[in-house]
Amino acid sequence: MSLAPLAIYIHWPFCRSKCPYCDFNSHVRAGTDVARWTRALLSDLDHQAAMATDRVVTSIFFGGGTPSLMMPETVAALIERVSALWPVAGDLEVTLEANPNSAEAERFAGFAAAGVNRLSLGVQSLDLEALRFLGRGHNRAEAIAAIRLARASFARTSFDLIYARPGQSLAAWQAELDEALMLAGEHLSLYQLTIEPGTGFATRAARGELTIPEEETAAALFEATQQRLAAVGLPAYEISNHARPGAECRHNLAYWRYQDYLGIGPGAHGRVTRGGSKFASAQRRNPEAWLAAVEESETALDALTPIGCEEAVEEMVMMGLRLVEGVPRERLEALAGRTVEEMFGGTLPQLVEGGFLTLDADRLAATAAGRQRLNAVLGALLA
Ligand SMILES: C[S@@+](CC[C@H](N)C(=O)[O-])C[C@H]1O[C@@H](n2cnc3c(N)ncnc32)[C@H](O)[C@@H]1O
Ligand code: SF4
């Protein structure tokens, strides 16, 4: 019998500065004790390994925060420990998120030597004014240099851009996207700006100082993005992610396909199947509280909570409809113990007729229009 796949997420919660749009678990600190943090992350990994034995690790993802602030030695130690704890796939994907600051770019070679084989760069924009507006610590030249260096240093690369920014016209976005395509490899993540509660942008938006584009304009930008990327051979495979077929991020696919993953580090969560049922793991979010808890009792896992059948169905649908491929009908029906029609009888036909969902013998999937307003579609479907 082949071993079930396992993805491993490792969270580095520190950043040089806090971007005003970001609500990730990221914190600015004057200094970090590298040895203590390395020990604690290794300890969390050791502890959680017991929750998911008999697996083959298919991907490791260093996310943040800003994992490019980690020492390459820490990254190397964590990758080595994963290989000591589990068998790893021959094509193990190891992604690290990096900021394009020149200081961090200097570490790219160290990360590659540590075993990172995929770099995901937070470029956010190629426009200097926009970078200032987004509160980024890098400029346009650093972004371009970091993309070039990443492509020369890693087998696989991707970069993130944020669009649908205040006042951004369709023409301006198309020009920025065209420039990005000249620099890009096989993968791009293109996010529409969202105003997250509790962020600097949320405060400014509440004061009326910042307005994101109307729904109609945002939809037009999304549509244009889909078409342009498909035309150059990087079709969407998820709401915001585009890749040459075969070059998708395997780690993120594991989330969206509702496969098992462990979450290592502050605030990281996981989903693990044990005895045929899914369990959710959550961790303390505050970095210092997390570190203290791990040093005291090896782990800072808050809880391992069983996920009920109905909740698991909801999670599978919420994750799977983000993907262009959608959710396999067979998996969904096996989990729910009833047909898709029985599950969503009420609103499903309307959402299909409205052009937001498709359902055939194999899959339930969202159309591009459905993916663009997925929250509303899910709200109607799961009501
Ligand atoms: C964990 S964050 C970034 C990691 C890295 N520290 C960086 O800033 O490059 C992942 C990505 O989410 C996107 N993102 C974060 N907050 C966002 C928001 N409010 N709206 C749109 N995209 C957002 C950004 O593109 C960012 O690169
Ligand atoms: S966007 Fe990246 S660099 Fe900025 S605060 Fe969030 S995690 Fe940190």
Side-chain angles (χ1 to χ4, degrees):
M1 209 184 81
S2 62
L3 295 174
L6 180 69
I8 296 181
Y9 175 81
I10 301 175
H11 191 76
W12 186 258
F14 305 114
C15 294
R16 280 185 201 280
S17 57
K18 183 79 186 174
C19 306
Y21 54 86
C22 177
D23 76 339
F24 283 81
N25 186 23
S26 55
H27 308 263
V28 180
R29 298 288 185 262
T32 44
D33 186 331
V34 172
R36 274 179 80 191
W37 273 90
T38 306
R39 267 199 310 275
L41 289 169
L42 288 169
S43 164
D44 192 17
L45 194 55
D46 288 343
H47 187 88
Q48 292 200 43
M51 290 171 15
T53 50
D54 298 332
R55 311 294 170 108
V56 57
V57 174
T58 47
S59 62
I60 305 173
F61 192 104
F62 291 91
T66 305
S68 49
L69 292 175
M70 292 172 87
M71 295 306 290
E73 292 75 10
T74 303
V75 173
L78 286 158
I79 297 172
E80 262 169 44
R81 186 64 62 90
V82 168
S83 314
L85 291 166
W86 290 273
V88 299
D91 59 353
L92 176 73
E93 175 187 274
V94 186
T95 304
L96 184 131
E97 281 181 345
N99 283 27
N101 301 47
S102 43
E104 276 135 84
E106 282 172 16
R107 295 188 189 166
F108 287 2
F111 294 136
V116 173
N117 54 28
R118 183 173 182 277
L119 199 84
S120 174
L121 268 176
V123 168
Q124 319 310 1
S125 175
L126 292 166
D127 178 85
L128 187 56
E129 270 310 304
L131 286 170
R132 278 202 197 115
F133 164 73
L134 293 169
R136 298 296 288 180
H138 64 268
N139 59 31
R140 180 187 144 82
E142 279 177 308
I144 293 172
I147 296 170
R148 295 207 169 112
L149 182 62
R151 294 200 58 189
S153 312
F154 298 90
R156 299 171 64 201
T157 58
S158 176
F159 62 87
D160 299 351
L161 295 177
I162 296 180
Y163 71 102
R165 305 186 299 256
Q168 190 178 31
S169 69
L170 179 59
W173 169 233
Q174 282 172 323
E176 192 173 344
L177 196 51
D178 279 344
E179 194 182 9
L181 286 169
M182 305 222 288
L183 297 161
E186 308 174 324
H187 192 287
L188 272 179
S189 300
L190 306 168
Y191 300 105
Q192 291 191 51
L193 177 63
T194 50
I195 304 297
E196 303 292 347
T199 59
F201 274 5
T203 312
R204 288 169 60 185
R207 285 199 210 116
E209 292 168 11
L210 184 159
T211 321
I212 53 167
E214 300 285 328
E215 164 79 21
E216 219 172 283
T217 314
L221 294 182
F222 179 82
E223 272 304 318
T225 306
Q226 306 301 299
Q227 284 166 16
R228 182 79 184 108
L229 274 280
V232 298
L234 297 176
Y237 66 98
E238 190 264 353
I239 302 175
S240 311
N241 284 281
H242 302 256
R244 183 182 58 68
E248 299 85 1
C249 173
R250 292 199 284 272
H251 183 85
N252 287 337
L253 277 180
Y255 300 149
W256 297 321
R257 288 179 175 160
Y258 207 42
Q259 291 167 348
D260 282 6
Y261 58 94
L262 294 183
I264 309 297
H269 53 85
R271 291 287 181 279
V272 196
T273 308
R274 298 170 84 183
S277 304
K278 280 258 185 201
F279 288 81
S281 69
Q283 301 227 42
R284 222 152 288 189
R285 279 174 67 85
N286 175 274
E288 289 74 29
W290 179 89
L291 188 63
V294 176
E295 289 182 340
E296 202 181 298
S297 48
E298 283 179 21
T299 182
L301 270 196
D302 270 347
L304 201 56
T305 322
I307 302 177
C309 174
E310 208 165 304
E311 205 187 330
V313 167
E314 277 192 13
E315 287 193 343
M316 187 185 277
V317 170
M318 284 168 68
M319 290 288 122
L321 289 186
R322 302 181 65 93
L323 289 171
V324 172
E325 68 183 26
V327 193
R329 185 193 267 265
E330 205 181 325
R331 248 190 107 201
L332 190 56
E333 294 184 344
L335 180 65
R338 50 201 176 126
T339 65
V340 172
E341 287 82 354
E342 283 165 349
M343 271 180 262
F344 307 118
T347 45
L348 182 62
Q350 278 165 270
L351 291 165
V352 171
E353 265 165 47
F356 301 114
L357 292 178
T358 58
L359 177 68
D360 62 23
D362 298 324
R363 292 174 178 277
L364 172 67
T367 60
R371 291 193 300 278
Q372 207 266 322
R373 42 184 78 71
L374 190 61
N375 285 344
V377 170
L378 287 169
L381 189 68
L382 302 171

